[in-house]
Amino acid sequence: MSYPVSCFSVNVCIGYEAAKWVAMMGATVIMACRSKERAEEAMQKIQGEFQVEQEKKTPVICDTENVSLEFMELDLSSFTSVRSFIEAFKSSGRALHVLVCNAGVALMPFKTTEDGFEVMLQVNYLSHFIMIAHLLPIMRRSGEDCRIVLVSSDAHRTCNFDVNKMNYSGDPKKFKRWDYYGKSKLYQIMQMHCMHRRLEGSNISVNSLHPGLVETEISRSYQDYRLMTGLNWIAKVLGQMKTPIDGALPIINAVVNPGLKGVGGVYYKSLEHGYSTAEARNETKQEVLWKKTLQLLKNEIPAEIILGLEKE
Ligand SMILES: NC(=O)c1ccc[n+]([C@@H]2O[C@H](COP(=O)([O-])OP(=O)(O)OC[C@H]3O[C@@H](n4cnc5c(N)ncnc54)[C@H](OP(=O)(O)O)[C@@H]3O)[C@@H](O)[C@H]2O)c1
């Protein structure tokens, strides 16, 4: 089987392990990353680790000489970059079977992007939303088992849903990072439910997941946040942190498990069905968010694409 996978991000993190194992199982993986240098470094490392797994005769990996990896530039904090990525992907004429929206930032201090949105809202939610909207028509004609995976977080439990406060506009000093990180992750789960309703019975399934508390580079986003870096340190000392491969397992499962063909609308916690909050599962609020998101993104998602999103 050969299928392109998009929106994996790299380095010592969850996306690296997920992209590596999916590629080692025979997929063509497109690493959609903001840094070409870091992506190429990761791709080279994956090729080396593939040779080691082949020598160990690890089951499930493919017998090709190399794994199939490609880099495409994507900076989720810029709609211009997201647009260029979408155009480049469309003009490649290739199919798209799996789209994994993994890249993310956490607990950042208040900052707005060049597009005027709070950065966690744009990177974690809005930019992925635009990509999905534009790439969905390609996925609709890419085969009978296409999948979208949204890497969310149990951090969605820490926030309240308020559609009028999606884009923070208050005093930067009063910005609550936990709340806004949680909100961005809550929106991903709510989006997943909205899309599942619209895609049920089609060739595309959509799921979201919490990878667990994983030791990665995500703390780069909040180096100045002593409380959090301290809590992470304690969790690590107590052995409560997962490794990146453990964190990647639910993604790999959602991408390749043949038993999950056509199964959508699930929030996975590790490999099990997890429970998101009642708010995340509230259909009325999900639809309010959907409408508000399309309104916020009216310049990025034209009417005919919206019609396509609503179809089926
Ligand atoms: N680690 C955890 O405990 C945990 C828990 C729950 C959920 N998650 C979620 O898991 C996902 C992966 O996180 P991780 O822990 O693996 O963190 P990570 O090591 O920081 O990896 C995040 C990746 O996102 C990429 N990224 C950040 N901003 C970007 C942008 N503007 N454009 C494109 N790519 C961007 C980074 O790219 P660069 O390589 O260029 O920096 C990095 O490769 C995130 O969505 C996170 O919210 C993590």
Side-chain angles (χ1 to χ4, degrees), residues 9-15 33-35 38 74-77 102-105 123 151-154 181 185 210-214 216-218 220:
S9 37
V10 296
N11 294 305
V12 190
C13 64
I14 298 165
C33 306
R34 59 183 163 175
S35 159
R38 279 160 75 83
L74 172 68
D75 181 350
L76 293 158
S77 68
N102 165 76
V105 281
V123 170
V151 182
S152 177
S153 170
D154 254 9
Y181 175 55
K185 293 288 159 183
H210 170 60
L213 182 61
V214 189
T216 65
E217 294 188 348
I218 201 138
R220 284 172 301 169

PDB file of all heavy atoms in Angstrom, residues 9-15 33-35 38 74-77 102-105 123 151-154 181 185 210-214 216-218 220, ligand 1:
ATOM      1  N   SER A   9       4.658  16.477  11.901  1.00  0.00           N
ATOM      2  CA  SER A   9       5.787  17.344  12.211  1.00  0.00           C
ATOM      3  C   SER A   9       6.888  16.533  12.888  1.00  0.00           C
ATOM      4  O   SER A   9       6.661  15.424  13.339  1.00  0.00           O
ATOM      5  CB  SER A   9       5.325  18.493  13.074  1.00  0.00           C
ATOM      6  OG  SER A   9       4.353  18.037  13.953  1.00  0.00           O
ATOM      7  N   VAL A  10       8.057  17.117  12.961  1.00  0.00           N
ATOM      8  CA  VAL A  10       9.245  16.291  13.184  1.00  0.00           C
ATOM      9  C   VAL A  10       9.950  16.505  14.522  1.00  0.00           C
ATOM     10  O   VAL A  10       9.463  17.208  15.398  1.00  0.00           O
ATOM     11  CB  VAL A  10      10.244  16.522  12.038  1.00  0.00           C
ATOM     12  CG1 VAL A  10       9.657  16.046  10.741  1.00  0.00           C
ATOM     13  CG2 VAL A  10      10.654  17.971  11.977  1.00  0.00           C
ATOM     14  N   ASN A  11      11.114  15.919  14.628  1.00  0.00           N
ATOM     15  CA  ASN A  11      12.025  15.992  15.781  1.00  0.00           C
ATOM     16  C   ASN A  11      11.673  15.004  16.887  1.00  0.00           C
ATOM     17  O   ASN A  11      10.920  14.075  16.677  1.00  0.00           O
ATOM     18  CB  ASN A  11      12.165  17.419  16.300  1.00  0.00           C
ATOM     19  CG  ASN A  11      12.855  18.269  15.248  1.00  0.00           C
ATOM     20  OD1 ASN A  11      13.933  17.908  14.825  1.00  0.00           O
ATOM     21  ND2 ASN A  11      12.221  19.295  14.810  1.00  0.00           N
ATOM     22  N   VAL A  12      12.239  15.205  18.071  1.00  0.00           N
ATOM     23  CA  VAL A  12      12.032  14.219  19.137  1.00  0.00           C
ATOM     24  C   VAL A  12      10.613  14.387  19.641  1.00  0.00           C
ATOM     25  O   VAL A  12      10.370  14.938  20.698  1.00  0.00           O
ATOM     26  CB  VAL A  12      13.009  14.456  20.307  1.00  0.00           C
ATOM     27  CG1 VAL A  12      12.944  13.288  21.282  1.00  0.00           C
ATOM     28  CG2 VAL A  12      14.397  14.655  19.785  1.00  0.00           C
ATOM     29  N   CYS A  13       9.655  13.969  18.862  1.00  0.00           N
ATOM     30  CA  CYS A  13       8.289  14.227  19.279  1.00  0.00           C
ATOM     31  C   CYS A  13       7.364  13.166  18.742  1.00  0.00           C
ATOM     32  O   CYS A  13       7.774  12.236  18.066  1.00  0.00           O
ATOM     33  CB  CYS A  13       7.858  15.622  18.831  1.00  0.00           C
ATOM     34  SG  CYS A  13       7.819  15.769  17.067  1.00  0.00           S
ATOM     35  N   ILE A  14       6.096  13.353  19.068  1.00  0.00           N
ATOM     36  CA  ILE A  14       5.077  12.361  18.740  1.00  0.00           C
ATOM     37  C   ILE A  14       4.964  12.198  17.220  1.00  0.00           C
ATOM     38  O   ILE A  14       4.904  11.089  16.702  1.00  0.00           O
ATOM     39  CB  ILE A  14       3.737  12.809  19.368  1.00  0.00           C
ATOM     40  CG1 ILE A  14       3.879  12.877  20.902  1.00  0.00           C
ATOM     41  CG2 ILE A  14       2.608  11.896  18.956  1.00  0.00           C
ATOM     42  CD1 ILE A  14       2.760  13.629  21.612  1.00  0.00           C
ATOM     43  N   GLY A  15       4.939  13.324  16.504  1.00  0.00           N
ATOM     44  CA  GLY A  15       4.783  13.285  15.045  1.00  0.00           C
ATOM     45  C   GLY A  15       5.926  12.546  14.363  1.00  0.00           C
ATOM     46  O   GLY A  15       5.718  11.842  13.372  1.00  0.00           O
ATOM     47  N   CYS A  33       6.164  20.534   7.341  1.00  0.00           N
ATOM     48  CA  CYS A  33       6.869  21.163   8.474  1.00  0.00           C
ATOM     49  C   CYS A  33       7.287  22.579   8.119  1.00  0.00           C
ATOM     50  O   CYS A  33       7.477  22.914   6.958  1.00  0.00           O
ATOM     51  CB  CYS A  33       8.127  20.376   8.809  1.00  0.00           C
ATOM     52  SG  CYS A  33       7.834  18.640   9.100  1.00  0.00           S
ATOM     53  N   ARG A  34       7.491  23.385   9.175  1.00  0.00           N
ATOM     54  CA  ARG A  34       7.872  24.781   8.894  1.00  0.00           C
ATOM     55  C   ARG A  34       9.365  24.919   8.626  1.00  0.00           C
ATOM     56  O   ARG A  34       9.798  25.884   8.011  1.00  0.00           O
ATOM     57  CB  ARG A  34       7.464  25.681  10.052  1.00  0.00           C
ATOM     58  CG  ARG A  34       8.080  25.306  11.375  1.00  0.00           C
ATOM     59  CD  ARG A  34       7.583  26.176  12.480  1.00  0.00           C
ATOM     60  NE  ARG A  34       7.867  25.572  13.772  1.00  0.00           N
ATOM     61  CZ  ARG A  34       7.635  26.121  14.938  1.00  0.00           C
ATOM     62  NH1 ARG A  34       7.078  27.311  14.984  1.00  0.00           N
ATOM     63  NH2 ARG A  34       7.925  25.517  16.059  1.00  0.00           N
ATOM     64  N   SER A  35      10.193  23.967   9.094  1.00  0.00           N
ATOM     65  CA  SER A  35      11.636  24.086   8.886  1.00  0.00           C
ATOM     66  C   SER A  35      12.147  22.961   7.989  1.00  0.00           C
ATOM     67  O   SER A  35      12.113  21.786   8.363  1.00  0.00           O
ATOM     68  CB  SER A  35      12.356  24.047  10.239  1.00  0.00           C
ATOM     69  OG  SER A  35      13.701  23.684  10.066  1.00  0.00           O
ATOM     70  N   ARG A  38      15.160  21.077   9.637  1.00  0.00           N
ATOM     71  CA  ARG A  38      14.790  20.104  10.679  1.00  0.00           C
ATOM     72  C   ARG A  38      14.075  18.903  10.072  1.00  0.00           C
ATOM     73  O   ARG A  38      14.270  17.763  10.510  1.00  0.00           O
ATOM     74  CB  ARG A  38      13.911  20.777  11.737  1.00  0.00           C
ATOM     75  CG  ARG A  38      14.713  21.572  12.747  1.00  0.00           C
ATOM     76  CD  ARG A  38      13.854  22.590  13.462  1.00  0.00           C
ATOM     77  NE  ARG A  38      12.954  22.034  14.473  1.00  0.00           N
ATOM     78  CZ  ARG A  38      13.306  21.743  15.729  1.00  0.00           C
ATOM     79  NH1 ARG A  38      14.546  21.940  16.119  1.00  0.00           N
ATOM     80  NH2 ARG A  38      12.442  21.269  16.588  1.00  0.00           N
ATOM     81  N   LEU A  74       5.259  24.067   5.471  1.00  0.00           N
ATOM     82  CA  LEU A  74       3.980  24.475   6.050  1.00  0.00           C
ATOM     83  C   LEU A  74       4.216  25.138   7.399  1.00  0.00           C
ATOM     84  O   LEU A  74       4.683  24.508   8.345  1.00  0.00           O
ATOM     85  CB  LEU A  74       3.070  23.243   6.251  1.00  0.00           C
ATOM     86  CG  LEU A  74       1.775  23.492   7.018  1.00  0.00           C
ATOM     87  CD1 LEU A  74       0.814  24.358   6.223  1.00  0.00           C
ATOM     88  CD2 LEU A  74       1.091  22.175   7.378  1.00  0.00           C
ATOM     89  N   ASP A  75       3.894  26.430   7.467  1.00  0.00           N
ATOM     90  CA  ASP A  75       3.924  27.124   8.755  1.00  0.00           C
ATOM     91  C   ASP A  75       2.486  27.431   9.137  1.00  0.00           C
ATOM     92  O   ASP A  75       1.829  28.278   8.520  1.00  0.00           O
ATOM     93  CB  ASP A  75       4.757  28.414   8.647  1.00  0.00           C
ATOM     94  CG  ASP A  75       4.830  29.137   9.988  1.00  0.00           C
ATOM     95  OD1 ASP A  75       4.095  28.756  10.927  1.00  0.00           O
ATOM     96  OD2 ASP A  75       5.615  30.097  10.094  1.00  0.00           O
ATOM     97  N   LEU A  76       2.016  26.739  10.153  1.00  0.00           N
ATOM     98  CA  LEU A  76       0.605  26.862  10.538  1.00  0.00           C
ATOM     99  C   LEU A  76       0.274  28.207  11.177  1.00  0.00           C
ATOM    100  O   LEU A  76      -0.897  28.530  11.366  1.00  0.00           O
ATOM    101  CB  LEU A  76       0.227  25.720  11.494  1.00  0.00           C
ATOM    102  CG  LEU A  76       0.240  24.322  10.859  1.00  0.00           C
ATOM    103  CD1 LEU A  76       0.396  23.252  11.927  1.00  0.00           C
ATOM    104  CD2 LEU A  76      -1.019  24.062  10.041  1.00  0.00           C
ATOM    105  N   SER A  77       1.300  28.994  11.501  1.00  0.00           N
ATOM    106  CA  SER A  77       1.007  30.309  12.087  1.00  0.00           C
ATOM    107  C   SER A  77       0.822  31.374  11.010  1.00  0.00           C
ATOM    108  O   SER A  77       0.685  32.557  11.332  1.00  0.00           O
ATOM    109  CB  SER A  77       2.111  30.726  13.062  1.00  0.00           C
ATOM    110  OG  SER A  77       3.293  30.976  12.348  1.00  0.00           O
ATOM    111  N   ASN A 102      -1.173  16.952  13.493  1.00  0.00           N
ATOM    112  CA  ASN A 102      -0.443  16.691  14.740  1.00  0.00           C
ATOM    113  C   ASN A 102       0.253  17.924  15.298  1.00  0.00           C
ATOM    114  O   ASN A 102       0.308  18.111  16.515  1.00  0.00           O
ATOM    115  CB  ASN A 102       0.597  15.592  14.482  1.00  0.00           C
ATOM    116  CG  ASN A 102       1.627  15.519  15.596  1.00  0.00           C
ATOM    117  OD1 ASN A 102       1.364  15.017  16.679  1.00  0.00           O
ATOM    118  ND2 ASN A 102       2.818  16.061  15.331  1.00  0.00           N
ATOM    119  N   ALA A 103       0.796  18.758  14.418  1.00  0.00           N
ATOM    120  CA  ALA A 103       1.624  19.880  14.883  1.00  0.00           C
ATOM    121  C   ALA A 103       0.831  20.755  15.844  1.00  0.00           C
ATOM    122  O   ALA A 103      -0.373  20.965  15.675  1.00  0.00           O
ATOM    123  CB  ALA A 103       2.097  20.702  13.702  1.00  0.00           C
ATOM    124  N   GLY A 104       1.519  21.255  16.845  1.00  0.00           N
ATOM    125  CA  GLY A 104       0.817  22.098  17.795  1.00  0.00           C
ATOM    126  C   GLY A 104       1.760  22.838  18.714  1.00  0.00           C
ATOM    127  O   GLY A 104       2.937  22.486  18.847  1.00  0.00           O
ATOM    128  N   VAL A 105       1.230  23.880  19.334  1.00  0.00           N
ATOM    129  CA  VAL A 105       1.969  24.627  20.351  1.00  0.00           C
ATOM    130  C   VAL A 105       1.104  24.678  21.608  1.00  0.00           C
ATOM    131  O   VAL A 105      -0.120  24.623  21.525  1.00  0.00           O
ATOM    132  CB  VAL A 105       2.328  26.061  19.879  1.00  0.00           C
ATOM    133  CG1 VAL A 105       3.527  26.047  18.956  1.00  0.00           C
ATOM    134  CG2 VAL A 105       1.145  26.750  19.218  1.00  0.00           C
ATOM    135  N   VAL A 123      -2.581  28.062  15.110  1.00  0.00           N
ATOM    136  CA  VAL A 123      -1.725  26.896  14.802  1.00  0.00           C
ATOM    137  C   VAL A 123      -2.484  25.594  15.061  1.00  0.00           C
ATOM    138  O   VAL A 123      -2.495  24.687  14.218  1.00  0.00           O
ATOM    139  CB  VAL A 123      -0.418  26.937  15.630  1.00  0.00           C
ATOM    140  CG1 VAL A 123       0.361  25.635  15.517  1.00  0.00           C
ATOM    141  CG2 VAL A 123       0.445  28.118  15.200  1.00  0.00           C
ATOM    142  N   VAL A 151      -4.930  15.467  16.374  1.00  0.00           N
ATOM    143  CA  VAL A 151      -4.240  15.223  17.651  1.00  0.00           C
ATOM    144  C   VAL A 151      -4.623  16.343  18.614  1.00  0.00           C
ATOM    145  O   VAL A 151      -4.155  17.468  18.509  1.00  0.00           O
ATOM    146  CB  VAL A 151      -2.715  15.117  17.456  1.00  0.00           C
ATOM    147  CG1 VAL A 151      -2.047  14.825  18.800  1.00  0.00           C
ATOM    148  CG2 VAL A 151      -2.378  14.030  16.436  1.00  0.00           C
ATOM    149  N   SER A 152      -5.523  15.996  19.523  1.00  0.00           N
ATOM    150  CA  SER A 152      -6.030  16.963  20.492  1.00  0.00           C
ATOM    151  C   SER A 152      -5.348  16.731  21.838  1.00  0.00           C
ATOM    152  O   SER A 152      -4.182  16.312  21.879  1.00  0.00           O
ATOM    153  CB  SER A 152      -7.558  16.811  20.582  1.00  0.00           C
ATOM    154  OG  SER A 152      -8.081  17.671  21.550  1.00  0.00           O
ATOM    155  N   SER A 153      -6.052  16.957  22.914  1.00  0.00           N
ATOM    156  CA  SER A 153      -5.426  16.794  24.227  1.00  0.00           C
ATOM    157  C   SER A 153      -6.494  16.788  25.318  1.00  0.00           C
ATOM    158  O   SER A 153      -7.536  17.446  25.192  1.00  0.00           O
ATOM    159  CB  SER A 153      -4.468  17.958  24.484  1.00  0.00           C
ATOM    160  OG  SER A 153      -4.040  17.945  25.820  1.00  0.00           O
ATOM    161  N   ASP A 154      -6.181  16.098  26.405  1.00  0.00           N
ATOM    162  CA  ASP A 154      -7.051  16.156  27.579  1.00  0.00           C
ATOM    163  C   ASP A 154      -7.007  17.538  28.222  1.00  0.00           C
ATOM    164  O   ASP A 154      -7.795  17.820  29.127  1.00  0.00           O
ATOM    165  CB  ASP A 154      -6.645  15.076  28.592  1.00  0.00           C
ATOM    166  CG  ASP A 154      -7.653  13.927  28.578  1.00  0.00           C
ATOM    167  OD1 ASP A 154      -8.525  13.902  27.687  1.00  0.00           O
ATOM    168  OD2 ASP A 154      -7.567  13.060  29.463  1.00  0.00           O
ATOM    169  N   TYR A 181      -5.033  27.335  25.527  1.00  0.00           N
ATOM    170  CA  TYR A 181      -4.520  26.073  24.962  1.00  0.00           C
ATOM    171  C   TYR A 181      -5.650  25.044  24.990  1.00  0.00           C
ATOM    172  O   TYR A 181      -5.936  24.395  23.987  1.00  0.00           O
ATOM    173  CB  TYR A 181      -3.309  25.569  25.764  1.00  0.00           C
ATOM    174  CG  TYR A 181      -2.815  24.203  25.300  1.00  0.00           C
ATOM    175  CD1 TYR A 181      -2.471  23.975  23.966  1.00  0.00           C
ATOM    176  CD2 TYR A 181      -2.707  23.135  26.193  1.00  0.00           C
ATOM    177  CE1 TYR A 181      -2.030  22.727  23.535  1.00  0.00           C
ATOM    178  CE2 TYR A 181      -2.259  21.887  25.771  1.00  0.00           C
ATOM    179  CZ  TYR A 181      -1.928  21.688  24.445  1.00  0.00           C
ATOM    180  OH  TYR A 181      -1.498  20.446  24.023  1.00  0.00           O
ATOM    181  N   LYS A 185      -7.721  22.959  21.836  1.00  0.00           N
ATOM    182  CA  LYS A 185      -7.812  21.495  21.764  1.00  0.00           C
ATOM    183  C   LYS A 185      -9.278  21.038  21.827  1.00  0.00           C
ATOM    184  O   LYS A 185      -9.656  20.037  21.217  1.00  0.00           O
ATOM    185  CB  LYS A 185      -6.974  20.867  22.885  1.00  0.00           C
ATOM    186  CG  LYS A 185      -5.468  21.104  22.697  1.00  0.00           C
ATOM    187  CD  LYS A 185      -4.959  20.263  21.543  1.00  0.00           C
ATOM    188  CE  LYS A 185      -3.688  20.735  20.933  1.00  0.00           C
ATOM    189  NZ  LYS A 185      -3.255  19.949  19.784  1.00  0.00           N
ATOM    190  N   HIS A 210      -6.121  11.884  22.394  1.00  0.00           N
ATOM    191  CA  HIS A 210      -5.196  12.432  23.394  1.00  0.00           C
ATOM    192  C   HIS A 210      -4.010  11.464  23.462  1.00  0.00           C
ATOM    193  O   HIS A 210      -4.206  10.281  23.766  1.00  0.00           O
ATOM    194  CB  HIS A 210      -5.902  12.519  24.751  1.00  0.00           C
ATOM    195  CG  HIS A 210      -4.976  12.830  25.880  1.00  0.00           C
ATOM    196  ND1 HIS A 210      -4.223  13.984  25.935  1.00  0.00           N
ATOM    197  CD2 HIS A 210      -4.650  12.125  27.013  1.00  0.00           C
ATOM    198  CE1 HIS A 210      -3.492  13.985  27.053  1.00  0.00           C
ATOM    199  NE2 HIS A 210      -3.732  12.869  27.710  1.00  0.00           N
ATOM    200  N   PRO A 211      -2.791  11.936  23.195  1.00  0.00           N
ATOM    201  CA  PRO A 211      -1.656  11.001  23.178  1.00  0.00           C
ATOM    202  C   PRO A 211      -1.134  10.623  24.558  1.00  0.00           C
ATOM    203  O   PRO A 211      -0.291   9.740  24.683  1.00  0.00           O
ATOM    204  CB  PRO A 211      -0.583  11.782  22.403  1.00  0.00           C
ATOM    205  CG  PRO A 211      -0.915  13.216  22.623  1.00  0.00           C
ATOM    206  CD  PRO A 211      -2.406  13.295  22.808  1.00  0.00           C
ATOM    207  N   GLY A 212      -1.632  11.294  25.609  1.00  0.00           N
ATOM    208  CA  GLY A 212      -1.094  11.071  26.952  1.00  0.00           C
ATOM    209  C   GLY A 212      -0.122  12.185  27.297  1.00  0.00           C
ATOM    210  O   GLY A 212       0.102  13.100  26.498  1.00  0.00           O
ATOM    211  N   LEU A 213       0.437  12.103  28.493  1.00  0.00           N
ATOM    212  CA  LEU A 213       1.462  13.079  28.898  1.00  0.00           C
ATOM    213  C   LEU A 213       2.793  12.531  28.403  1.00  0.00           C
ATOM    214  O   LEU A 213       3.279  11.505  28.873  1.00  0.00           O
ATOM    215  CB  LEU A 213       1.455  13.207  30.431  1.00  0.00           C
ATOM    216  CG  LEU A 213       2.432  14.213  31.023  1.00  0.00           C
ATOM    217  CD1 LEU A 213       2.144  15.626  30.522  1.00  0.00           C
ATOM    218  CD2 LEU A 213       2.362  14.188  32.552  1.00  0.00           C
ATOM    219  N   VAL A 214       3.365  13.207  27.411  1.00  0.00           N
ATOM    220  CA  VAL A 214       4.504  12.641  26.690  1.00  0.00           C
ATOM    221  C   VAL A 214       5.705  13.577  26.789  1.00  0.00           C
ATOM    222  O   VAL A 214       5.562  14.800  26.641  1.00  0.00           O
ATOM    223  CB  VAL A 214       4.139  12.439  25.188  1.00  0.00           C
ATOM    224  CG1 VAL A 214       5.234  11.656  24.472  1.00  0.00           C
ATOM    225  CG2 VAL A 214       2.808  11.733  25.043  1.00  0.00           C
ATOM    226  N   THR A 216       8.298  15.417  25.259  1.00  0.00           N
ATOM    227  CA  THR A 216       8.638  15.864  23.900  1.00  0.00           C
ATOM    228  C   THR A 216       9.280  17.245  23.990  1.00  0.00           C
ATOM    229  O   THR A 216       9.664  17.680  25.062  1.00  0.00           O
ATOM    230  CB  THR A 216       7.361  15.976  23.025  1.00  0.00           C
ATOM    231  OG1 THR A 216       6.544  17.014  23.581  1.00  0.00           O
ATOM    232  CG2 THR A 216       6.594  14.671  22.953  1.00  0.00           C
ATOM    233  N   GLU A 217       9.311  17.913  22.846  1.00  0.00           N
ATOM    234  CA  GLU A 217       9.869  19.267  22.846  1.00  0.00           C
ATOM    235  C   GLU A 217       8.802  20.340  23.043  1.00  0.00           C
ATOM    236  O   GLU A 217       9.052  21.518  22.845  1.00  0.00           O
ATOM    237  CB  GLU A 217      10.598  19.519  21.514  1.00  0.00           C
ATOM    238  CG  GLU A 217      11.819  18.637  21.338  1.00  0.00           C
ATOM    239  CD  GLU A 217      12.648  19.011  20.125  1.00  0.00           C
ATOM    240  OE1 GLU A 217      12.175  19.806  19.286  1.00  0.00           O
ATOM    241  OE2 GLU A 217      13.756  18.503  20.020  1.00  0.00           O
ATOM    242  N   ILE A 218       7.591  19.911  23.403  1.00  0.00           N
ATOM    243  CA  ILE A 218       6.486  20.878  23.468  1.00  0.00           C
ATOM    244  C   ILE A 218       6.733  21.969  24.519  1.00  0.00           C
ATOM    245  O   ILE A 218       6.237  23.087  24.387  1.00  0.00           O
ATOM    246  CB  ILE A 218       5.122  20.186  23.692  1.00  0.00           C
ATOM    247  CG1 ILE A 218       3.991  21.116  23.251  1.00  0.00           C
ATOM    248  CG2 ILE A 218       4.914  19.717  25.124  1.00  0.00           C
ATOM    249  CD1 ILE A 218       2.892  20.479  22.508  1.00  0.00           C
ATOM    250  N   ARG A 220       9.105  23.760  24.788  1.00  0.00           N
ATOM    251  CA  ARG A 220       9.733  24.946  24.176  1.00  0.00           C
ATOM    252  C   ARG A 220       8.764  26.119  24.156  1.00  0.00           C
ATOM    253  O   ARG A 220       9.157  27.265  24.230  1.00  0.00           O
ATOM    254  CB  ARG A 220      10.100  24.665  22.695  1.00  0.00           C
ATOM    255  CG  ARG A 220      11.301  23.824  22.480  1.00  0.00           C
ATOM    256  CD  ARG A 220      11.420  23.483  21.023  1.00  0.00           C
ATOM    257  NE  ARG A 220      10.243  22.766  20.537  1.00  0.00           N
ATOM    258  CZ  ARG A 220       9.977  22.517  19.267  1.00  0.00           C
ATOM    259  NH1 ARG A 220      10.780  22.947  18.329  1.00  0.00           N
ATOM    260  NH2 ARG A 220       8.910  21.851  18.905  1.00  0.00           N
TER     261      ARG A 220
HETATM  262  N1  LIG B   1       3.505  16.137  24.716  1.00  0.00           N
HETATM  263  C1  LIG B   1       2.362  15.982  25.379  1.00  0.00           C
HETATM  264  O1  LIG B   1       2.347  15.630  26.592  1.00  0.00           O
HETATM  265  C2  LIG B   1       1.062  16.200  24.692  1.00  0.00           C
HETATM  266  C3  LIG B   1      -0.117  15.953  25.413  1.00  0.00           C
HETATM  267  C4  LIG B   1      -1.338  16.142  24.777  1.00  0.00           C
HETATM  268  C5  LIG B   1      -1.382  16.537  23.456  1.00  0.00           C
HETATM  269  N2  LIG B   1      -0.216  16.784  22.780  1.00  0.00           N
HETATM  270  C6  LIG B   1      -0.340  17.223  21.379  1.00  0.00           C
HETATM  271  O2  LIG B   1       0.470  16.402  20.575  1.00  0.00           O
HETATM  272  C7  LIG B   1       0.862  17.144  19.400  1.00  0.00           C
HETATM  273  C8  LIG B   1       2.349  16.958  19.176  1.00  0.00           C
HETATM  274  O3  LIG B   1       3.033  17.578  20.238  1.00  0.00           O
HETATM  275  P1  LIG B   1       4.456  17.133  20.782  1.00  0.00           P
HETATM  276  O4  LIG B   1       4.304  16.864  22.221  1.00  0.00           O
HETATM  277  O5  LIG B   1       5.055  16.120  19.907  1.00  0.00           O
HETATM  278  O6  LIG B   1       5.218  18.535  20.703  1.00  0.00           O
HETATM  279  P2  LIG B   1       6.559  18.995  19.946  1.00  0.00           P
HETATM  280  O7  LIG B   1       7.668  18.065  20.257  1.00  0.00           O
HETATM  281  O8  LIG B   1       6.759  20.442  20.277  1.00  0.00           O
HETATM  282  O9  LIG B   1       6.120  18.850  18.453  1.00  0.00           O
HETATM  283  C9  LIG B   1       5.212  19.745  17.890  1.00  0.00           C
HETATM  284  C10 LIG B   1       5.516  19.863  16.450  1.00  0.00           C
HETATM  285  O10 LIG B   1       4.638  20.879  15.954  1.00  0.00           O
HETATM  286  C11 LIG B   1       5.388  21.669  15.058  1.00  0.00           C
HETATM  287  N3  LIG B   1       4.910  23.030  14.966  1.00  0.00           N
HETATM  288  C12 LIG B   1       4.800  23.945  15.958  1.00  0.00           C
HETATM  289  N4  LIG B   1       4.391  25.123  15.462  1.00  0.00           N
HETATM  290  C13 LIG B   1       4.256  24.951  14.128  1.00  0.00           C
HETATM  291  C14 LIG B   1       3.877  25.791  13.068  1.00  0.00           C
HETATM  292  N5  LIG B   1       3.596  27.090  13.273  1.00  0.00           N
HETATM  293  N6  LIG B   1       3.842  25.286  11.812  1.00  0.00           N
HETATM  294  C15 LIG B   1       4.158  24.001  11.594  1.00  0.00           C
HETATM  295  N7  LIG B   1       4.541  23.142  12.555  1.00  0.00           N
HETATM  296  C16 LIG B   1       4.583  23.614  13.808  1.00  0.00           C
HETATM  297  C17 LIG B   1       6.807  21.690  15.606  1.00  0.00           C
HETATM  298  O11 LIG B   1       7.657  21.978  14.525  1.00  0.00           O
HETATM  299  P3  LIG B   1       9.209  22.368  14.690  1.00  0.00           P
HETATM  300  O12 LIG B   1       9.897  21.060  14.655  1.00  0.00           O
HETATM  301  O13 LIG B   1       9.487  23.228  13.518  1.00  0.00           O
HETATM  302  O14 LIG B   1       9.315  23.088  15.985  1.00  0.00           O
HETATM  303  C18 LIG B   1       6.964  20.302  16.201  1.00  0.00           C
HETATM  304  O15 LIG B   1       7.577  19.442  15.282  1.00  0.00           O
HETATM  305  C19 LIG B   1       0.451  18.587  19.660  1.00  0.00           C
HETATM  306  O16 LIG B   1      -0.726  18.863  18.913  1.00  0.00           O
HETATM  307  C20 LIG B   1       0.167  18.628  21.156  1.00  0.00           C
HETATM  308  O17 LIG B   1      -0.794  19.606  21.486  1.00  0.00           O
HETATM  309  C21 LIG B   1       0.995  16.618  23.363  1.00  0.00           C
END
